[in-house]
Amino acid sequence: MNLLFVADALDHFKTYKDTTFAMMREAQRRGHVLFACGPQDLHWRSGGSVQARLRQVTLTGRSGKDVHDWFEAGPELVRHLASFDAVVMRKDPPFDSEYFYATHLLERAEAEGARVFNSPRALRDHPEKLAILEFPQFTPPTLVTRAAADVREFHAEHRDIILKPLDGMGGMGIFRVKDDGLNLGSIIETLNRDGAQTIMVQRFLPAIEAGDKRVLVIGGEPVSHCLARIPQGGEVRGNLAAGGKGVAQPISARDEEIARTIGAVLAPRGLMLIGLDVIGDNLTEINVTSPTGFQEITNQTGVDVAALFVDALETGARRG
């Protein structure tokens, strides 16, 4: 198959842990031909179809923390997205206006025959913080609001809460306010910008001490092991980007229940790859833009997550 990866600049990849790199490595191992571009390389002109300025990419077999020559790129080409067997959208968050525009171009490409994973419409329809609203049976007490009074009322009820912006990533902008309410007003003002911005508030879950689990769902099926991201040094955030320690472990019966229920709903909508954030028995986020954790799980357990993904990608491309 000819595969196009829409991603961030390849020369910025940290190949020792990057999930998109793991996908590409497995795809090349199977004999698939790889191409890459960024969202900024997509374009459309009236009378034509969605195209991209792109390059064919060959992996050199080298990777690691200090390796930068892990790929070789051919000359720039311009090709219709519909000419590929599959287009893999792997642009990292944030989900800003440019990401939004890219999903519209990718959706137009779908109408022209392209097969895009994850579906661009589904990416737009499932913002990573708000997607949990569809599954309240799995979530902790949660509030979504702009109003400071709502947050104060929620804190008065639950006494220990987490506040976070809806567009955050990697643990950015997350605050904990305990029973004493210290700095609650200042934190609300910082996050909601005096009522101009919607935020999410959740009851604090003490189970975070055992890790914020990243449970992967591929083609509607949960991966057998998850990555527990354990906070370090007094941090409340387990995100690896915030210094959390990643420990792979088998998924629990509750993890599997959550993953199978959500996978059965979201996979048919075009979300081939989903990353659920689970603390204890509670679902806190549904990641759909660029879920990670493949290499950490594989390196620690031997479960080849990239192979599971490429299996699903091959199946999805054939169905298309």
Side-chain angles (χ1 to χ4, degrees):
M1 296 195 304
N2 288 332
L3 306 178
L4 173 61
F5 286 82
V6 182
D8 292 299
L10 300 188
D11 54 7
H12 292 167
F13 277 26
K14 298 177 180 178
T15 58
Y16 64 95
K17 66 176 184 177
D18 192 276
T19 288
T20 305
F21 167 76
M23 294 173 175
M24 297 174 78
R25 179 174 58 189
E26 175 62 17
Q28 179 171 288
R29 188 190 68 79
R30 299 187 187 197
H32 301 313
V33 181
L34 310 180
F35 296 81
C37 73
Q40 70 276 9
D41 299 313
L42 303 175
H43 58 275
W44 176 87
R45 185 172 180 173
S46 56
S49 60
V50 178
Q51 297 180 306
R53 289 177 290 273
L54 49 86
R55 297 178 188 273
Q56 184 175 338
V57 175
T58 303
L59 277 59
T60 63
R62 294 183 287 273
S63 66
K65 287 189 176 181
D66 299 318
V67 172
H68 302 287
D69 58 344
W70 62 271
F71 71 96
E72 296 175 349
E76 184 174 273
L77 308 169
V78 177
R79 285 185 55 175
H80 302 279
L81 268 62
S83 69
F84 290 92
D85 296 289
V87 177
V88 183
M89 178 53 162
R90 287 290 300 176
K91 172 69 178 70
D92 286 342
F95 194 110
D96 56 13
S97 295
E98 288 302 325
Y99 193 109
F100 179 81
Y101 303 146
T103 66
H104 278 288
L105 287 171
L106 290 170
E107 187 173 12
R108 180 59 206 162
E110 279 189 323
E112 297 162 357
R115 292 163 293 279
V116 184
F117 307 96
N118 283 327
S119 160
R121 176 181 289 271
L123 290 174
R124 289 200 308 275
D125 287 348
H126 298 84
E128 301 193 333
K129 301 290 192 299
L130 296 178
I132 65 169
L133 273 59
E134 188 173 355
F135 305 98
Q137 69 271 35
F138 299 131
T139 65
T142 299
L143 167 70
V144 178
T145 186
R146 290 190 190 186
D150 292 345
V151 180
R152 292 186 181 280
E153 181 181 342
F154 190 87
H155 177 260
E157 178 180 358
H158 296 288
R159 310 309 305 173
D160 195 351
I161 62 174
I162 293 290
L163 303 90
K164 51 189 174 182
L166 294 183
D167 60 354
M169 55 176 283
M172 292 174 57
I174 293 179
F175 293 90
R176 178 184 179 185
V177 177
K178 298 182 181 181
D179 184 69
D180 59 13
L182 186 64
N183 291 326
L184 178 58
S186 178
I187 292 169
I188 294 172
E189 292 168 7
T190 297
L191 292 181
N192 82 343
R193 297 181 184 175
D194 293 323
Q197 186 163 290
T198 304
I199 64 174
M200 175 172 281
V201 191
Q202 292 178 321
R203 184 178 67 192
F204 174 74
L205 299 171
I208 186 63
E209 292 184 2
D212 180 355
K213 294 175 286 186
R214 169 57 54 83
V215 179
L216 296 169
V217 185
I218 299 175
E221 292 292 320
V223 175
S224 62
H225 288 68
C226 64
L227 186 69
R229 298 159 298 173
I230 303 172
Q232 302 292 300
E235 263 285 356
V236 72
R237 302 170 297 172
N239 309 73
L240 300 185
K245 178 182 178 181
V247 178
Q249 60 190 39
I251 62 173
S252 68
R254 175 66 166 179
D255 296 338
E256 183 169 1
E257 176 192 5
I258 295 171
R260 287 197 178 279
T261 301
I262 294 175
V265 174
L266 299 190
R269 297 179 187 171
L271 293 172
M272 172 182 289
L273 174 61
I274 304 165
L276 307 178
D277 288 351
V278 180
I279 300 176
D281 291 335
N282 293 271
L283 172 72
T284 60
E285 291 186 20
I286 300 176
N287 297 272
V288 300
T289 52
S290 186
T292 61
F294 281 27
Q295 293 205 61
E296 293 88 347
I297 293 173
T298 298
N299 291 341
Q300 294 182 40
T301 70
V303 176
D304 195 337
V305 187
L308 297 175
F309 175 80
V310 178
D311 285 345
L313 186 63
E314 291 172 342
T315 299
R318 286 195 296 268
R319 287 176 181 168

